[in-house]
Amino acid sequence: MSNSVKKLILASTSIYRRELLERLRIPFEVIPPKVDETPLPGESTLELALRLAKAKASAVAKDHPEAWVIGSDQVADLCGAAIGKPGNFERAMAQLQLMRGATVTFQTALCLMRGNEETTINIPTEVTFRKLADDALEAYLHAEEPYDCAGSAKSEGLGISLLESIQSDDPTALIGLPLIALSGLLREAGFTIPNKPSKQ
């Protein structure tokens, strides 16, 4: 069965995940999931990421039982505490000051689901931030305004200059969707990657 016959849905509101999935050149549609992302009492960052990735996929899969649905979630972890999306300059500055010289673990969970079939995994990424002065952090925030990004630094953009090192088995996991892991899951589900281009 060709990729065009199989139905693939990305359960996400993230433009970054959509752009990443487009790299695989598989037809897909995007449906925003309705999920409460509030952490549960005592829930670890890893547990939160895994639960939300599965919840996002499930929220869309229940209305599309014939489709393969991708859900993903990322939680930044500094010493066991979750670091969310800052939303504004002041909170982003506070995050970057807190992470200065520290190593943050970005838990990026991935779920592929169709009906009762489901695989959920996590790809951790260890990111060490440089010890930069406040004026450098302020200059970065004014230049890129990464207020919709957990950890306040976009590694795919100017934010890479704030980092000392990145360690991960899946380089796009840090951006929000681990394509190495996802490619493997999609192949197991019967998708062909790379796929032959269709003849015009």
Side-chain angles (χ1 to χ4, degrees):
M1 184 180 293
S2 70
N3 291 342
S4 60
V5 175
K6 290 177 177 291
K7 187 173 183 179
L8 182 65
I9 300 174
L10 176 63
S12 180
T13 59
S14 169
I15 59 172
Y16 309 112
R17 290 193 176 101
R18 183 183 345 175
E19 290 171 352
L20 286 169
L21 185 54
E22 286 172 350
R23 293 190 193 182
L24 299 184
R25 302 187 184 186
I26 298 174
F28 70 95
E29 61 180 288
V30 178
I31 298 179
K34 295 180 180 179
V35 172
D36 181 358
E37 299 190 20
T38 304
L40 300 177
E43 191 173 37
S44 70
T45 55
L46 173 57
E47 291 167 340
L48 174 61
L50 289 169
R51 178 175 63 83
L52 291 181
K54 184 175 179 178
K56 290 175 181 179
S58 180
V60 172
K62 63 181 176 60
D63 295 325
H64 301 273
E66 79 291 355
W68 287 99
V69 181
I70 301 167
S72 186
D73 191 79
Q74 184 181 82
V75 181
D77 180 314
L78 177 60
C79 300
I83 300 173
K85 298 175 183 178
N88 60 39
F89 173 86
E90 289 74 21
R91 284 196 287 269
M93 187 65 183
Q95 282 189 357
L96 291 178
Q97 289 171 330
L98 187 65
M99 296 184 297
R100 181 164 41 201
T103 297
V104 179
T105 301
F106 287 80
Q107 309 283 13
T108 306
L110 173 66
C111 178
L112 183 63
M113 178 181 294
R114 184 182 70 172
N116 294 325
E117 300 177 72
E118 173 250 319
T119 302
T120 304
I121 60 176
N122 181 69
I123 307 295
T125 303
E126 301 286 336
V127 177
T128 301
F129 284 76
R130 294 183 183 276
K131 295 180 180 179
L132 297 176
D134 284 355
D135 59 349
L137 301 180
E138 290 177 6
Y140 166 68
L141 292 177
H142 287 305
E144 195 152 61
E145 300 183 347
Y147 307 137
D148 63 344
C149 174
S152 304
K154 293 182 179 179
S155 64
E156 69 274 26
L158 182 59
I160 197 73
S161 67
L162 306 186
L163 310 182
E164 188 171 287
S165 67
I166 299 174
Q167 296 186 10
S168 178
D169 292 333
D170 206 326
T172 62
L174 184 56
I175 308 173
L177 191 65
L179 291 182
I180 292 177
L182 179 58
S183 295
L185 294 181
L186 289 173
R187 285 191 181 102
E188 291 175 5
F191 289 85
T192 302
I193 308 172
N195 192 32
K196 291 182 180 179
S198 57
K199 295 181 179 180
Q200 299 297 323

